[in-house]
C-alpha cells in the first residue's frame, strides 16, 4: 500500500480540526497549468483556485487566490491591499519568499504570514479547491473555514472576462 502523503497544508487543517478531501491528478515533475488541473480532476475551473504571490511598492508581499480560469488584475489587487501598485514575484524567488515552488504554492503553510486576498468569487462556493502544497495534490475544503484559518479577506481582484 502506498504511503499517504501529508503536506504542511494538510497538517494545518487537521491541527485546527478543519475537514478536507485530497484529490490527486496525474502529473510529471513540472507544474501543471491551473485550467489543466481542473480538467484532469473533472472540476469547474471557477471553483479551483491558484495562489499567486506579489510584492507591493512598499516592499510587502501579498498572496492572492483566484480561480484558475481567471487572471489577476494588478490594479484591483493593489487597491485591495492599499498599495499604489504591485508586481508579481519572479518564479525563482517563490521558494525563498513563501517556502513553495511554482506549481505547488498553497495559501496554507507559507514560511511567513502574508496578507491574503481571495477573489470574492470564492464565496459563491461552499467548498473550493486549493493546492495541497505539492504538485499533483489539491485540497477540497470549506471556503469559510479556510478564509478564517488564514485570516484572508475577499475582494474582486480578477480581470473582467
Amino acid at each position: 500500500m502506498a504511503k499517504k502523503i501529508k503536506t504542511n497544508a494538510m497538517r494545518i487543517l487537521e491541527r485546527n480540526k478543519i475537514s478536507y478531501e485530497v484529490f490527486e491528478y496525474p502529473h510529471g515533475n513540472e507544474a501543471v497549468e491551473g485550467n489543466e488541473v481542473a480538467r484532469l480532476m473533472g472540476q469547474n475551473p471557477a471553483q479551483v483556485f491558484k495562489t499567486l504571490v506579489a510584492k507591493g511598492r512598499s516592499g510587502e508581499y501579498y498572496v492572492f487566490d483566484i480561480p484558475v480560469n481567471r487572471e489577476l488584475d494588478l490594479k484591483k489587487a493593489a487597491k485591495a491591499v492599499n498599495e499604489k501598485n504591485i508586481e508579481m514575484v519572479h518564479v525563482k524567488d517563490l521558494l525563498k519568499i513563501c517556502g513553495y515552488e511554482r506549481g505547488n504554492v498553497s495559501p496554507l503553510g507559507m514560511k511567513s504570514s502574508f496578507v491574503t486576498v481571495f477573489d470574492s468569487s470564492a464565496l459563491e462556493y461552499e467548498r473550493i479547491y486549493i493546492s495541497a502544497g505539492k504538485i499533483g495534490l489539491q485540497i477540497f475544503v470549506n471556503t469559510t473555514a479556510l478564509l478564517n484559518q488564514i485570516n484572508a479577506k475577499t475582494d474582486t481582484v480578477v480581470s473582467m472576462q
Side-chain angles (χ1 to χ4, degrees):
M1 187 170 152
K3 183 178 181 250
K4 284 270 189 201
I5 296 171
K6 280 277 195 233
T7 65
N8 285 341
M10 293 176 203
R11 289 185 195 94
I12 290 166
L13 292 173
E14 288 173 7
R15 188 170 52 242
N16 291 285
K17 297 178 178 28
I18 298 171
S19 64
Y20 65 92
E21 291 176 69
V22 176
F23 285 81
E24 201 166 345
Y25 60 88
H27 62 90
N29 292 327
E30 296 296 313
V32 179
E33 196 271 326
N35 281 308
E36 182 65 5
V37 169
R39 189 190 69 73
L40 289 168
M41 295 193 322
Q43 298 302 324
N44 174 1
Q47 197 173 359
V48 179
F49 280 66
K50 59 186 172 184
T51 303
L52 306 171
V53 182
K55 185 176 184 178
R57 182 181 276 179
S58 68
E60 293 293 317
Y61 292 102
Y62 301 97
V63 175
F64 296 94
D65 282 85
I66 65 171
V68 296
N69 62 346
R70 303 295 299 273
E71 294 298 323
L72 184 67
D73 182 311
L74 295 177
K75 284 186 173 51
K76 289 178 184 176
K79 186 177 178 194
V81 294
N82 297 315
E83 285 277 0
K84 194 130 185 114
N85 59 36
I86 62 167
E87 59 184 38
M88 298 305 298
V89 166
H90 290 284
V91 172
K92 67 178 176 46
D93 297 328
L94 281 173
L95 185 61
K96 169 178 75 181
I97 294 164
C98 66
Y100 289 113
E101 293 178 322
R102 178 180 180 268
N104 63 17
V105 179
S106 177
L108 289 164
M110 291 197 176
K111 277 179 156 181
S112 299
S113 187
F114 300 112
V115 170
T116 302
V117 180
F118 272 73
D119 185 68
S120 53
S121 65
L123 300 174
E124 296 171 20
Y125 302 98
E126 183 180 335
R127 296 170 71 180
I128 58 173
Y129 295 87
I130 60 166
S131 172
K134 181 167 177 44
I135 293 174
L137 296 177
Q138 290 279 306
I139 293 174
F140 190 47
V141 64
N142 178 280
T143 306
T144 303
L146 174 65
L147 295 176
N148 289 339
Q149 174 60 42
I150 54 182
N151 198 25
K153 65 185 237 176
T154 58
D155 206 334
T156 302
V157 293
V158 294
S159 301
M160 297 304 288
Q161 284 185 314

